Amino acid sequence: MAGRIIFHIDFDYFYAQCEEIRRPELKTRPVAVCVYSDRGGDSGAIATANYLARKYGVKSGMPIKFAKKKLEDIPESVFLPTDFEYYTETSENAMSIIRNHADVFEYVGRDEAYLDVTNRTEQDYKKAAHLAQQLKNSLRTSMKLSSTIGISSNKLVSKIASDYKKPDGLTIVEPHEIESFLDPLPIRSIPGIGKKSEEKFSEMNLETISQLRSVDVFTLNGLFGRKIGSYIYNAAHGIDEEPVSPRHDPIQYSRIITLKQDSKDFDFLAKDLEKLCDDLHGTIVKDNILFRSVGIQFIQSDLSNRTKSKTLRNPTSSLDELKKTVIQLLRESLEDQKLPIRRLGVRVSDFTQISGQVDITRFF
Ligand code: DGT
Ligand code: CA
Ligand code: CA
């Protein structure tokens, strides 16, 4: 596996940034996104906060009450409830841009992914830097989304690199720089090392990765067991052979949008549906799949959900057939549609892979 080039991309203060994207006036104010518990009032925790709020000490996981205390002298600060559907929609749109920049794309979560770009950069870090900048620009121009990318020859170091300078960061660690990059970092920056392990190391007077590297693998195995011990040993040396494995988010083959206004007008809805089909079809072609099932989804004005789907006679990848089926489903659904529709989605499923390396069944 010599000479790979891997990106790790992570969206900055993701939920809070999503809120800023739809309400740009929030950008100059501290914003905290809250998961309210069902006990009511201010019970619950902070999911994330923008960097302005972080300046005042607001952090993910902190009780909402604490965060309010930290911001009590800042009247313009904003506390918002989570809107996962909207964050997922934003994530989906961003991921479909990101996928187009990768040889192999691995979805990790709503706000992060790995990209193997070895082939398209011809193992050249200059080209990789250029590609990463292009990707960041493209997310910014088309979605106003800011992100941070780490680049190196493996997933582990790229992940650490993407955490190194944020927001809006780009950190490149070439193979000969790996050890010197890791040296001064706290042991805690190794993914998977939490407070507990950190304390263990602290008791042994080990604080930095460079100090950790002086510990031999037998000692680590003794402390953590063989599996974790050797992971930590390799991590301290910046070694990681894990391939970027093609993994897509389960909702990859669907698209959903919020309509400009609630509606149950056929022409209005059909126009948006066709656009969704065009967009979705791009992914279908790129991933070389055939689908046999087509569905549409309405989120109605009261936020309730309605879906309708159809199984085709034969697997297909045809855009015409996708559109024809979707329009037919729309027509049928509108016949007894009572509530106006607020959000509109398209989904294909029941896949066959035409050819290629990827086993589609793994994604689901
Ligand atoms: P950053 O540091 O600029 O990447 O900021 P985030 O907010 O993107 O942080 P990250 O990447 O660790 O997490 C991505 C999202 O996951 C974040 O926007 C909200 C959610 N999240 C993170 N930590 C917590 C937590 O402790 N509780 C809850 N409920 N959600 C969290
Ligand atoms: Ca993030
Ligand atoms: Ca993340």
Side-chain angles (χ1 to χ4, degrees), residues 3 70 109 119 169 203 230 251 273 302 314 341:
K70 302 239 178 227
N119 289 336
E203 281 163 22
S230 57
I251 45 173
L273 268 182
D302 68 349
N314 296 302
I341 297 153

Side-chain angles (χ1 to χ4, degrees), residues 39-67:
R39 282 204 218 112
D42 275 345
S43 74
I46 301 299
T48 194
N50 68 0
Y51 279 73
L52 256 172
R54 290 183 196 191
K55 266 201 199 147
Y56 294 96
V58 177
K59 285 194 184 120
S60 295
M62 171 182 278
I64 297 167
K65 288 197 184 95
F66 282 27

Side-chain angles (χ1 to χ4, degrees), residues 10-14 111-112 166:
D10 187 291
F11 308 155
D12 301 323
Y13 59 107
F14 185 51
D111 87 322
E112 60 190 276
K166 48 169 41 174

